[in-house]
Amino acid sequence: MQLSNMLRFKMGWAEPAGPSHEVVLSSRVRLARNLSGRPFPGRSTPKATAAVLSEALAAARKAKALAKAASILLEELEETERVFLVERYLISRLLAQATRSRGVVVGEREILSLMINEEDHLRLQGIDSGLCLEKLFDQTDSVDDDLSRSLEFAFHPDWGYLAACPTNAGTGLRASCLVHLPGLGLTGQINRVLDGLSRLGVVVRGLYGEGTKVTGDLYQVSNATALGPAERSLISSVSKVVGTLVQRELEARRSLAEGSHGTRLEDLVYRSLGVLQNARVISYEESMQHLSYIRLALSLGWKIPASLDAVNELTVLARPGHIQMLAGRALDAGERDFLRASLLRKKFS
Amino acid sequence: MQLSNMLRFKMGWAEPAGPSHEVVLSSRVRLARNLSGRPFPGRSTPKATAAVLSEALAAARKAKALAKAASILLEELEETERVFLVERYLISRLLAQATRSRGVVVGEREILSLMINEEDHLRLQGIDSGLCLEKLFDQTDSVDDDLSRSLEFAFHPDWGYLAACPTNAGTGLRASCLVHLPGLGLTGQINRVLDGLSRLGVVVRGLYGEGTKVTGDLYQVSNATALGPAERSLISSVSKVVGTLVQRELEARRSLAEGSHGTRLEDLVYRSLGVLQNARVISYEESMQHLSYIRLALSLGWKIPASLDAVNELTVLARPGHIQMLAGRALDAGERDFLRASLLRKKFS
């Protein structure tokens, strides 16, 4: 498979179609599964790891929802291609590093995907637009059923699904949403609101998960542990927290758009547009800040030469690995900043 | 006279017509003169000051080069109008404060002007585009001759023309140039170059003279003292220093436009254009910085939607007093920043 072909197709979640998509860029559900009687990938032998890969790929081919999926073997990829897949949320940085007998199965529109031999033998993911954790759980749950017909999962009657890391044991479920909170940022409420979230059993992180920076007012909200409540109850508690965040953010946006705040916001938005249309050199972080204001304005219904799906997609297209994939080769930071600026000018002309 | 009418006409110096106008926005020559046997304005009685005003106005009417000039009495002006005249370099801040029996005579295209009862009884000024101190000295010298036919100037055979401040005594001459040095700024040479100037008998100041900030990479270079050498020798030494500055600046611009620097410069210029075309709120200082890069690009022959004369004019039109004059009333800083942004968007659309 030629990975650069993926550049020509829109990622499913980028289309602003789901509920509350004006605030929730994407929802993501992930199930961790391990094969019974096999060592976890981190403690496995090359031979055992290879066996898991081939069994998992075979099982995936039989899963209905993955019928048209593409199978990608990590060891066949260049470094730039692995970075590209990380940026598209299809593989983790961990999988990108340990490539031997590692793989990923990518479904249509990149909504469903299955990492093989990451920290756990299987990591099944569903990602889509808006606040749609229930729907994604149904979809991944159905793939999980199909896979379990071919594979025997490590499951303990008391502990539930076993996983390499205890925080993933139990349901093996992580539910997260990528939320855009420029309104709470600009009205100075963001830190107070995020502090409040930690008491509600959720964790807040930057754009690319643990230890990554918050950029472009984008935050990842997910459940803190996979143990304990049943899947639907975990899903529902994350959904509720995110639902409340959506309300708070929309209130903040309304207050920003009104009265004397309005001019300040208009100034921010149009200056951002001016930079996106004119810069000749721009970093990812700076472009994300401008895209954040553009996205905010679009959600308020302002008539500006941009669309929500283009802006959503650019959060990924403007990343270093995607810029390299566009160029067809590895680039230094200066070259990337130059090409990123060209890409943005084209998109906003 | 309706001062707001002046907004409809271009100031003579703003037209980029003079020698080295790509670096030298304007040259200015000023002659200080006092009437014999009268106390200086700062020590005068109201009656004596009024007498000087009326004699000076009568003499100005007879000067050939001021035949079509407008006479403005400061006490008839609003505060906003006095600020407006200061910004157009037609009166000093000192004259704007002490209004009684103070006046200014403004010639065609605002090239020649005569302040009456500032620090000295008469301050005759010539201001025009480019490096043209000699020409301006000829013009003011000729008006000076005409005035001396109606007025008896205080002159001492040893000390020359007397003046309220000793630094102006002797020739009564100040010759200055407003130079645009973004190239020396961007290449990091500016401080070294300016330090060198102080040893050449010139003084460097900000845009509106002593104690004002440097903004938009604009510097005023003038002779340090009026005493000593003859007028033409003073003029020639300032011209020489400025001529050298022009060469250094043009070299810096060329090196900026070349190679990898070129992209950085292009980025600065187009970002500035983006801000000028899009901002909804902007301060004078910020707009001057952007205008500086636009002016630099125009001087390098870049095709951008702007012209040198518009940019020259905006260094004055974007000032607080001019924004107020456009609005027809006094404004607070927030209102001015809003109207300034509208004006700039219109000019760069």
Side-chain angles (χ1 to χ4, degrees):
Chain A
M1 179 192 189
Q2 193 69 26
L3 252 60
S4 58
N5 282 342
M6 293 171 74
L7 278 175
R8 293 193 284 123
F9 300 101
K10 203 162 276 179
M11 297 156 284
W13 62 265
E15 192 183 332
S20 301
H21 65 257
E22 64 275 35
V23 176
V24 186
L25 258 85
S26 61
S27 291
R28 181 149 55 147
V29 160
R30 180 266 282 158
L31 295 176
R33 296 290 183 261
N34 286 278
L35 303 197
S36 178
R38 315 287 180 90
F40 293 129
R43 300 170 157 254
S44 180
T45 61
K47 204 176 151 189
T49 310
V52 169
L53 175 66
S54 94
E55 288 172 49
L57 287 174
R61 274 191 287 274
K62 290 188 217 154
K64 210 162 35 174
L66 295 177
K68 295 186 178 171
S71 296
I72 299 167
L73 298 178
L74 271 287
E75 57 200 353
E76 294 178 358
L77 302 184
E78 305 284 336
E79 163 74 13
T80 51
E81 295 175 310
R82 296 195 296 268
V83 173
F84 174 80
L85 292 177
V86 171
E87 291 176 353
R88 289 176 94 82
Y89 310 105
L90 293 172
I91 67 171
S92 62
R93 280 172 296 173
L94 184 68
L95 200 75
Q97 282 155 24
T99 57
R100 189 142 178 220
S101 297
R102 265 72 184 173
V104 61
V105 177
V106 180
E108 284 178 280
R109 302 174 67 231
E110 305 178 30
I111 289 173
L112 291 169
S113 59
L114 178 70
M115 275 195 289
I116 304 168
N117 286 326
E118 205 246 21
E119 188 180 281
D120 298 300
H121 293 140
L122 301 179
R123 288 270 177 110
L124 176 61
Q125 172 181 275
I127 180 170
D128 211 343
S129 162
L131 179 48
C132 60
L133 292 168
E134 282 85 358
K135 180 189 84 175
L136 288 170
F137 178 68
D138 290 342
Q139 291 179 304
T140 49
D141 191 40
S142 152
V143 179
D144 183 45
D145 286 348
D146 284 358
L147 293 174
S148 68
R149 272 178 216 115
S150 321
L151 304 166
E152 190 188 340
F153 291 146
F155 184 86
H156 185 280
D158 293 336
W159 298 107
Y161 291 103
L162 302 184
C165 176
T167 58
N168 291 316
T171 59
L173 173 73
R174 172 141 296 163
S176 66
C177 290
L178 185 60
V179 290
H180 183 221
L181 306 177
L184 293 173
L186 288 170
T187 55
Q189 303 175 73
I190 189 74
N191 289 332
R192 196 157 36 84
V193 169
L194 295 183
D195 284 350
L197 291 188
S198 60
R199 275 172 268 123
L200 297 171
V202 298
V203 177
V204 182
R205 294 175 172 137
L207 186 49
Y208 280 81
E210 216 166 326
T212 62
K213 264 195 304 187
V214 169
T215 181
D217 304 305
L218 291 170
Y219 299 82
Q220 257 198 61
V221 180
S222 60
N223 54 317
T225 171
L227 204 67
E231 285 92 341
R232 297 209 180 266
S233 139
L234 271 177
I235 291 276
S236 140
S237 76
V238 176
S239 288
K240 251 184 220 153
V241 170
V242 173
T244 309
L245 264 183
V246 169
Q247 292 317 311
R248 299 290 298 273
E249 170 63 18
L250 291 178
E251 279 162 30
R253 290 184 189 183
R254 274 191 293 272
S255 82
L256 276 175
E258 281 162 12
S260 65
H261 280 313
T263 303
R264 191 189 147 212
L265 182 62
E266 210 184 325
D267 187 54
L268 277 175
V269 167
Y270 280 91
R271 279 173 181 256
S272 286
L273 189 63
V275 172
L276 294 167
Q277 289 176 332
N278 286 285
R280 263 56 182 171
V281 180
I282 195 165
S283 71
Y284 178 70
E285 281 68 29
E286 191 196 341
S287 58
M288 286 297 282
Q289 194 50 64
H290 297 306
L291 289 170
S292 173
Y293 297 138
I294 299 295
R295 200 178 189 285
L296 171 57
L298 289 168
S299 86
L300 289 166
W302 293 13
K303 300 272 170 288
I304 47 176
S307 68
L308 259 190
D309 49 346
V311 172
N312 286 351
E313 224 190 349
L314 279 169
T315 64
V316 169
L317 290 190
R319 285 199 65 83
H322 274 69
I323 297 294
Q324 292 186 140
M325 195 63 104
L326 271 175
R329 65 180 178 92
L331 304 168
D332 67 31
E335 292 172 314
R336 289 198 300 264
D337 290 353
F338 180 81
L339 275 181
R340 181 178 298 112
S342 309
L343 172 70
L344 290 167
R345 286 205 306 283
K346 221 167 105 182
K347 294 273 180 187
F348 287 93
S349 65
Chain B
M1 180 193 189
Q2 193 68 26
L3 251 60
S4 58
N5 281 343
M6 292 170 74
L7 277 175
R8 293 193 284 124
F9 300 101
K10 203 162 274 178
M11 296 155 285
W13 61 264
E15 193 184 332
S20 300
H21 64 257
E22 63 276 35
V23 176
V24 185
L25 259 85
S26 60
S27 291
R28 183 149 53 145
V29 160
R30 181 267 281 157
L31 296 176
R33 296 289 182 261
N34 286 277
L35 304 197
S36 178
R38 314 287 179 93
F40 293 129
R43 299 172 158 253
S44 179
T45 62
K47 204 177 148 188
T49 311
V52 168
L53 175 66
S54 95
E55 288 171 49
L57 287 174
R61 272 191 291 273
K62 289 188 219 155
K64 211 163 32 174
L66 295 176
K68 291 185 179 171
S71 297
I72 299 167
L73 298 179
L74 271 287
E75 58 200 350
E76 293 177 359
L77 302 183
E78 305 285 335
E79 164 73 12
T80 50
E81 295 175 310
R82 294 194 298 267
V83 173
F84 173 81
L85 291 178
V86 171
E87 290 176 354
R88 290 176 93 82
Y89 309 106
L90 294 173
I91 66 172
S92 63
R93 281 172 296 173
L94 183 68
L95 199 76
Q97 282 156 23
T99 58
R100 190 139 177 225
S101 296
R102 263 73 183 172
V104 60
V105 177
V106 180
E108 283 177 280
R109 300 175 67 233
E110 305 179 28
I111 289 173
L112 290 170
S113 59
L114 179 70
M115 274 197 287
I116 304 168
N117 286 325
E118 206 245 19
E119 189 179 282
D120 298 300
H121 293 140
L122 300 180
R123 288 269 178 112
L124 176 62
Q125 173 180 276
I127 181 170
D128 212 343
S129 163
L131 179 47
C132 60
L133 291 169
E134 281 85 358
K135 181 189 84 174
L136 287 170
F137 178 67
D138 290 342
Q139 291 179 304
T140 49
D141 191 39
S142 150
V143 177
D144 183 46
D145 286 347
D146 284 356
L147 293 174
S148 69
R149 271 175 217 117
S150 320
L151 303 166
E152 190 189 341
F153 292 146
F155 185 86
H156 184 280
D158 293 336
W159 299 107
Y161 290 102
L162 302 184
C165 175
T167 59
N168 291 315
T171 59
L173 171 75
R174 172 142 294 162
S176 66
C177 290
L178 186 61
V179 291
H180 183 220
L181 306 176
L184 293 173
L186 288 169
T187 55
Q189 304 175 72
I190 190 74
N191 289 331
R192 196 158 36 83
V193 170
L194 294 184
D195 284 350
L197 291 190
S198 60
R199 275 175 267 124
L200 298 171
V202 298
V203 177
V204 182
R205 297 177 170 135
L207 186 48
Y208 281 83
E210 216 167 327
T212 62
K213 265 195 303 189
V214 169
T215 180
D217 304 305
L218 291 170
Y219 300 82
Q220 257 198 59
V221 179
S222 59
N223 53 316
T225 170
L227 203 66
E231 284 92 342
R232 297 211 179 263
S233 141
L234 271 176
I235 291 276
S236 141
S237 75
V238 176
S239 287
K240 253 184 219 152
V241 170
V242 172
T244 308
L245 264 182
V246 169
Q247 292 316 313
R248 300 290 297 274
E249 169 63 18
L250 290 178
E251 280 162 29
R253 290 185 189 183
R254 274 192 294 272
S255 84
L256 276 174
E258 281 162 12
S260 66
H261 279 312
T263 303
R264 192 189 146 212
L265 182 62
E266 211 184 326
D267 187 54
L268 277 175
V269 167
Y270 280 92
R271 280 173 181 255
S272 285
L273 189 63
V275 172
L276 293 168
Q277 288 176 331
N278 285 286
R280 263 52 182 173
V281 181
I282 195 165
S283 70
Y284 178 71
E285 279 68 28
E286 190 195 342
S287 54
M288 286 297 283
Q289 194 52 64
H290 298 305
L291 290 170
S292 174
Y293 296 139
I294 298 295
R295 201 177 188 285
L296 172 57
L298 289 169
S299 85
L300 289 166
W302 293 15
K303 299 272 172 286
I304 48 176
S307 68
L308 259 191
D309 48 346
V311 172
N312 286 350
E313 224 190 347
L314 278 170
T315 64
V316 168
L317 290 189
R319 287 198 66 82
H322 274 69
I323 298 294
Q324 293 187 139
M325 194 65 105
L326 271 175
R329 65 182 178 90
L331 304 168
D332 67 32
E335 294 172 313
R336 288 198 301 263
D337 289 353
F338 180 81
L339 275 181
R340 180 178 299 110
S342 309
L343 172 70
L344 290 166
R345 287 205 306 285
K346 221 167 104 182
K347 294 272 181 187
F348 287 93
S349 65

